[in-house]
């Protein structure tokens, strides 16, 4: 059994996964309410909160599974990328626990955790596959041959897809975290109300470019917002913000939200499908927070099915940050990379390409 600790950003996640990669128990504490007043994650507050939570969460996953700490085989923690202070909490916790229990510890790449998280679903994707990684900080398309064998096919040149959701949501006064809020507002909206740009689609058609660029989209949204002359909350104000829109404003917001969501989703779907064609693979895996988006899921499943491509997602609650994906990635790496040297460091910036392939098939 591997204990996984995730603390790279604003969620403390702890989980137990079996050596064969089955989820045993998991617990999560989201700091969303704490950061909401500031309109985004405050790194120092995040670190302090991880300190308060991780021990209680560790006790919770053990008691849920009737497991005692000394029965654990090893401990995996998120070593990067992420917020340095937040990462240090999980790393220090894992090292302290490992040292006390004399168990090996292993540092896990957060994105490898996301990427492998669909393996926690009842229906697991077969290797090799194309992975669409869409989180708050990353948007990447990768050809995944095996654990640790990742070839980058395309990535964002500026904002990540999640960032595009978050920034647009902020412009619409929808608060933080923006993705789920924008998606909820979009339900009542008309996705065709605004013809927002589909960035880098021309490049895809012209020369098969699989890169993304989302920073122009927020400019388009911002201009549309100004045109609609909606009263926006002051984005720089700290403290509770409540915005009451008139009925007509709510419809304007919904249309803007739906049109934004449609623009982001259309590009993600087109490039993910093109990546499968390029890599000659018929298995597509979607991971990361934006993978929870219902429009993305619906369109991707539809477009993929038409081309004989099978799409795999993590269980919905494991799309966003969690300890289970860290424990799972750790389960593949513990044997070859686990150490009983309890000095630790974190890697706030850590390119996925630096990972070593796991040679022994899991
Ligand atoms: O993977 P994740 O939990 O954290 C990172 O590693 O970044 O992803 C968080 C991102 C945020 O940008 C959030 O707004 C977005 O995922 N997100 C969504 C949805 N749920 C989370 N975006 C669109 N629709 C959603 N339902
Ligand atoms: Zn993440």
């Amino acid at each position: 059994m591997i204990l996984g600790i995730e603390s790279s950003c604003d969620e403390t996640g702890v989980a137990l996964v079996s050596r064969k990669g089955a989820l045993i128990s998991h617990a999560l504490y989201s700091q969303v309410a704490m950061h909401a007043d500031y309109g985004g994650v405050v790194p120092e507050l995040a670190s302090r909160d991880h300190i308060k939570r991780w021990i209680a969460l560790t006790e919770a996953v053990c008691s849920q599974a009737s497991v005692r700490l000394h029965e654990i085989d090893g401990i995996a923690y998120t070593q990067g990328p992420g917020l340095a202070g937040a990462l240090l909490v999980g790393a220090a916790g894992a090292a302290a626990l490992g040292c006390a229990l004399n168990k090996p510890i292993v540092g896990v790449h957060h994105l490898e955790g996301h990427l492998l998280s669909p393996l926690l679903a009842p229906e697991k994707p077969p290797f090799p596959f194309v992975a669409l990684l869409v989180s708050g900080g990353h948007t990447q398309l990768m050809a995944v041959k095996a654990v640790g064998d990742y070839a980058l096919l395309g990535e964002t040149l500026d904002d990540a897809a999640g960032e595009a959701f978050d920034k647009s949501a902020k412009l619409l006064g929808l608060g933080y975290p923006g993705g789920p809020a924008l998606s909820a507002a979009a339900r009542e909206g008309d996705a065709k109300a605004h013809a927002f740009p589909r960035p880098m689609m021309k490049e895809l058609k012209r020369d098969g470019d699989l890169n993304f660029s989302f920073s122009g989209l927020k400019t388009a949204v911002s201009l549309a917002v100004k045109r609609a002359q909606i009263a926006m909350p002051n984005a720089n104000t700290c403290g509770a913000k409540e915005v009451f829109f008139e009925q007509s404003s709510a419809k304007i917001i919904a249309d803007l939200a739906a049109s934004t969501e449609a623009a982001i989703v259309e590009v993600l779907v087109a490039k993910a499908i093109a990546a499968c064609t390029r890599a000659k693979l018929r298995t597509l895996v979607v991971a990361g927070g934006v993978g929870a988006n219902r429009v993305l899921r619906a369109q991707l499943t539809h477009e993929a099915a038409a081309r004989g491509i099978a799409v795999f997602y993590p269980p919905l609650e494991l799309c966003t940050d969690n300890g289970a994906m860290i424990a799972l990635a750790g389960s593949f790496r513990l044997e070859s990379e686990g150490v009983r040297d309890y000095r630790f460091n974190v890697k706030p910036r850590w390119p996925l390409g630096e990972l070593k392939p796991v040679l022994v098939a899991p």
Side-chain angles (χ1 to χ4, degrees), residues 104-243:
I105 62 171
V106 62
V108 165
H109 194 294
H110 181 82
L111 295 182
E112 178 167 74
H114 274 304
L115 211 139
L116 300 177
S117 62
L119 296 171
L120 289 163
E123 215 187 322
K124 301 178 196 334
F127 289 97
F129 54 75
V130 167
L132 170 65
L133 235 173
V134 272
S135 70
H138 294 83
T139 302
Q140 297 184 326
L141 276 164
M142 263 163 311
V144 177
K145 274 202 207 138
V147 177
D149 189 343
Y150 311 128
L152 189 67
L153 301 170
E155 67 181 333
T156 184
L157 306 176
D158 40 56
D159 289 354
E163 223 172 335
F165 271 105
D166 293 338
K167 288 179 176 172
S168 303
K170 207 165 186 172
L171 287 167
L172 296 174
L174 295 172
Y176 153 92
L182 190 140
S183 185
R187 274 176 185 268
E188 309 299 325
D190 173 8
K192 294 202 172 79
H194 301 268
F196 287 139
R198 270 53 174 167
M200 308 277 297
M201 284 296 278
K202 260 197 262 118
E203 288 81 348
L204 172 67
K205 287 186 186 119
R206 198 179 58 212
D207 36 42
D209 193 329
L210 295 175
N211 289 321
F212 303 89
S213 164
F214 289 110
S215 68
L217 186 61
K218 69 172 184 285
T219 313
V221 174
S222 154
L223 289 172
V225 166
K226 284 198 185 111
R227 270 201 302 275
Q229 291 185 312
I230 302 166
M232 285 290 121
N234 183 350
N236 296 320
T237 316
C238 295
K241 293 192 295 277
E242 268 186 86
V243 196

Side-chain angles (χ1 to χ4, degrees), residues 6 8 110-111 114 135-136 288-289 319-321 325:
E6 154 64 29
S8 66
H110 181 82
L111 295 182
H114 274 304
S135 70
C319 270
T320 46
D321 294 348
M325 66 184 198

Side-chain angles (χ1 to χ4, degrees), residues 330-351:
S331 73
F332 292 117
R333 294 194 173 273
L334 194 71
E335 207 138 312
S336 54
E337 293 170 36
V339 290
R340 281 188 166 80
D341 176 346
Y342 302 109
R343 286 170 295 186
F344 57 88
N345 65 354
V346 294
K347 302 177 181 174
R349 287 178 193 281
W350 187 8

Side-chain angles (χ1 to χ4, degrees), residues 260-275:
T260 308
E261 182 173 57
I264 299 171
V265 166
E266 189 180 315
V267 180
L268 292 176
V269 170
K271 300 235 170 183
I273 300 283

